[in-house]
Amino acid sequence: MRRVKQVLSAIRAEVTPQDAAFVAKHLTQSELELFRQMSLPDQRHCLNVANTVAELAGGLREVNQPVLIKAALLHDVGRRRGDVSTSDKIMAVISRAVFGSGFAQKWGKQGRGGAWENLRHAFYVSANHPEIGAKLLRQAGTEEQVINLVRYHHHPAGMADSKELSLLRQADDLN
Ligand SMILES: [Fe+2]
Ligand SMILES: [Fe+2]
């Protein structure tokens, strides 16, 4: 239900000049372009996740704070503005809540077209945005540590996960 609430509250999303300054401080020019290619609600979500990781990791010496904050700001860049309509996105969110993430992985199909293709594309993006984002970040010259955090942010938790990855997942769930 948190995901559904997330979509509904996103309708009122905004990015303040203060947020914009925060983003510009942490990202390179090409990363900034990717950040801006997300929808406003996704930009807001990533900013909220970045604020949460900063709170959770504040004072933890073993955590690479700049890497973690950058990964938080960029973790959903695989979801690009205009690629998926709001109603298709809501369908994908509801289906994930009801059937789990495996369904979108199986049924999703890349490529926009008619209403049906667009819905399948939304499921594809929902299931594959970590990989899509990792690829975009590699092209942007982002450091490997950040790319890996983005790539694995929806993978099930494992013993070998870094502290940064655990904090990113935790903050993503809270937002
Ligand atoms: Fe995500
Ligand atoms: Fe997210």
Side-chain angles (χ1 to χ4, degrees):
M1 268 304 129
R2 193 196 297 276
R3 295 281 168 200
V4 177
K5 247 198 240 164
Q6 186 184 68
V7 172
L8 295 177
S9 70
I11 293 165
R12 296 184 301 272
E14 63 166 340
V15 173
T16 65
Q18 230 180 339
D19 293 323
F22 177 79
V23 173
K25 195 178 105 183
H26 288 280
L27 304 184
T28 66
Q29 196 52 43
S30 1
E31 290 162 352
L32 201 54
E33 278 165 31
L34 289 177
F35 181 85
R36 290 187 184 133
Q37 281 167 21
M38 286 189 286
S39 68
L40 196 56
D42 280 339
Q43 291 182 28
R44 183 68 262 164
H45 164 68
C46 287
L47 277 158
N48 293 344
V49 174
N51 290 333
T52 304
V53 291
E55 274 169 36
L56 294 174
L60 294 180
R61 280 220 200 134
E62 71 272 31
V63 171
N64 187 330
Q65 314 262 351
V67 160
L68 179 57
I69 289 175
K70 187 187 268 204
L73 288 173
L74 297 170
H75 75 279
D76 280 333
V77 290
R79 305 198 302 220
R80 307 177 96 176
R81 183 173 52 226
D83 196 25
V84 168
S85 72
T86 305
S87 55
D88 284 349
K89 188 173 167 184
I90 291 172
M91 289 297 287
V93 167
I94 292 172
S95 114
R96 183 147 101 192
V98 176
F99 303 113
S101 55
F103 179 72
Q105 188 71 54
K106 262 188 242 149
W107 192 72
K109 188 166 179 280
Q110 187 176 18
R112 290 179 58 81
W116 189 247
E117 282 90 352
N118 288 350
L119 185 60
R120 291 191 72 177
H121 182 70
F123 279 64
Y124 167 81
V125 172
S126 168
N128 294 288
H129 71 275
E131 280 298 333
I132 300 169
K135 202 171 149 196
L136 291 169
L137 292 171
R138 175 150 295 119
Q139 288 161 2
T142 301
E143 53 269 55
E144 205 58 35
Q145 269 175 297
V146 173
I147 294 177
N148 281 330
L149 290 172
V150 171
R151 172 174 291 144
Y152 298 118
H153 78 271
H154 285 301
H155 272 228
M159 299 282 281
D161 292 342
S162 65
K163 184 77 182 158
E164 286 84 357
L165 184 55
S166 308
L167 289 169
L168 176 60
R169 287 203 194 105
Q170 198 185 336
D172 198 15
D173 282 343
L174 290 169
N175 288 283

